Amino acid sequence: MSNYRESYPLAGETILITRAYQSGNSFRQMLEAKGATVLEMPALEIKPPSSWQPLDKAINHIADFHWLILTSANGVEYFLERLHHLGKDINYLKNLKIAVVGKKTAHFLEKYNISPDFIPPDFIADSLVTHFPESIEGKKILFPRVETGGREILVQELTQQGGEVVEIPAYQSTCPDTIDNTVWDALVKEVVSIITFASSKTVRNFHYLVTQALQTTPQLTLSSLLTEVAIASIGPQTSMTCQELLGKVDIEAQEYTLEGLVDSLVKKQYTS
């Protein structure tokens, strides 16, 4: 039995993962390999920006920029997709330095045979500014990002250091219209033991969708729905949003990656 427990430390746990529509299932596979039963809740819809014009203009004037900052796999995908749409390839970027936030973003970039020039050690935006490899003053920085609700702090800190940050909408991240019926049923019937969040936006959208659903079940409240559920967060920013909207955080990844989140879930089970 102890060997089974060591091999499958998450056996007996039903984990709800909040994710984007059509996102990869590597996180699910990691959890299932540890013995967990996994439910998936689409909490984000990723779409093209409302206009391609700003991104196209920036790409066509890429020689004006010193650095390109990418903070998500979506940012990588939409930026490079548009680059190719304009008839250019990765050689067009050869004089541009690239910084990324997050191991997943770096791995996604490498799929296109592009090696970033800088990855901050802690995989978070704050760390990027603190450990930036050269003076930011006077540097022109291209930041393709989500159209609304992105990393305001990163832009503020880079600007305070003397950088000129050009923010360009590369994609939209919107909330689905309704919560998945299977997921809602599992929450109401207290089947779910852990909910994971990999971004503040998934927390906000989960909160919105659940709040909407609760209007049809007046005998329940958000607090009562989550009483027996552990909330697991990928890092400090996401945890702050969990505390604000859900009232608690039970598990926070020590390394701010999906692998780190799995490790923290496993350690929590061993010590609980």
Side-chain angles (χ1 to χ4, degrees):
M1 187 68 176
S2 61
N3 287 339
Y4 180 85
R5 181 66 173 164
E6 288 169 14
S7 298
Y8 303 105
L10 296 176
E13 301 293 342
T14 297
I15 301 178
L16 175 62
I17 59 176
T18 54
R19 59 164 183 82
Y21 274 111
Q22 301 169 327
S23 67
N25 61 359
S26 60
F27 185 42
R28 177 181 192 135
Q29 291 168 353
M30 284 188 277
L31 292 169
E32 288 179 337
K34 299 294 184 184
T37 298
V38 179
L39 297 174
E40 297 185 48
M41 174 182 169
L44 292 173
E45 289 186 45
I46 307 301
K47 303 176 181 177
S50 53
S51 170
W52 287 115
Q53 188 175 355
L55 185 57
D56 289 355
K57 182 180 178 182
I59 290 172
N60 284 323
H61 293 85
I62 207 74
D64 296 345
F65 295 93
H66 300 93
W67 281 89
L68 169 68
I69 292 180
L70 297 163
T71 60
S72 71
N74 291 317
V76 172
E77 185 171 16
Y78 277 89
F79 176 81
L80 292 176
E81 193 177 283
R82 205 61 191 172
L83 184 80
H84 292 139
H85 176 83
L86 295 172
K88 308 176 192 305
D89 60 23
I90 59 174
N91 291 320
Y92 184 71
L93 306 176
K94 63 183 179 182
N95 295 320
L96 185 69
K97 292 181 180 177
I98 301 175
V100 303
V101 174
K103 190 182 287 186
K104 181 181 176 184
T105 311
H107 286 167
F108 206 83
L109 194 62
E110 285 164 5
K111 289 181 182 178
Y112 293 89
N113 296 314
I114 300 173
S115 296
D117 297 279
F118 173 54
I119 307 173
D122 298 328
F123 312 117
I124 55 174
D126 289 353
S127 181
L128 182 139
V129 179
T130 305
H131 295 93
F132 209 77
E134 64 181 29
S135 172
I136 296 171
E137 189 168 357
K139 297 293 189 296
K140 192 169 183 179
I141 300 164
L142 177 60
F143 184 17
R145 55 175 278 178
V146 66
E147 191 158 318
T148 58
R151 299 174 184 270
E152 306 296 340
I153 294 173
L154 176 60
V155 175
Q156 290 168 9
E157 291 184 352
L158 287 168
T159 304
Q160 285 169 4
Q161 296 284 336
E164 180 189 348
V165 183
V166 179
E167 300 176 77
I168 301 293
Y171 63 96
Q172 293 184 72
S173 173
T174 61
C175 184
D177 293 329
T178 58
I179 194 168
D180 181 271
N181 286 335
T182 304
V183 168
W184 179 243
D185 195 48
L187 285 168
V188 171
K189 292 181 177 176
E190 300 182 352
V191 173
V192 175
S193 53
I194 302 169
I195 305 174
T196 65
F197 295 100
S199 71
S200 287
K201 195 143 196 177
T202 55
V203 182
R204 292 190 194 99
N205 289 357
F206 172 86
H207 178 264
Y208 170 79
L209 291 168
V210 169
T211 301
Q212 293 295 107
L214 283 168
Q215 292 178 11
T216 64
T217 52
Q219 72 275 19
L220 286 174
T221 64
L222 180 65
S223 177
S224 67
L225 196 70
L226 301 179
T227 299
E228 300 299 323
V229 180
I231 301 298
S233 154
I234 201 168
Q237 287 296 123
T238 304
S239 292
M240 284 174 58
T241 311
C242 288
Q243 288 283 12
E244 176 190 343
L245 295 179
L246 308 180
K248 63 177 182 174
V249 179
D250 301 285
I251 303 163
E252 181 179 286
Q254 296 304 298
E255 180 187 278
Y256 311 139
T257 64
L258 292 175
E259 291 85 354
L261 185 51
V262 173
D263 288 343
S264 293
L265 288 167
V266 167
K267 288 172 184 171
K268 182 74 173 177
Q269 301 313 310
Y270 274 129
T271 56
S272 61

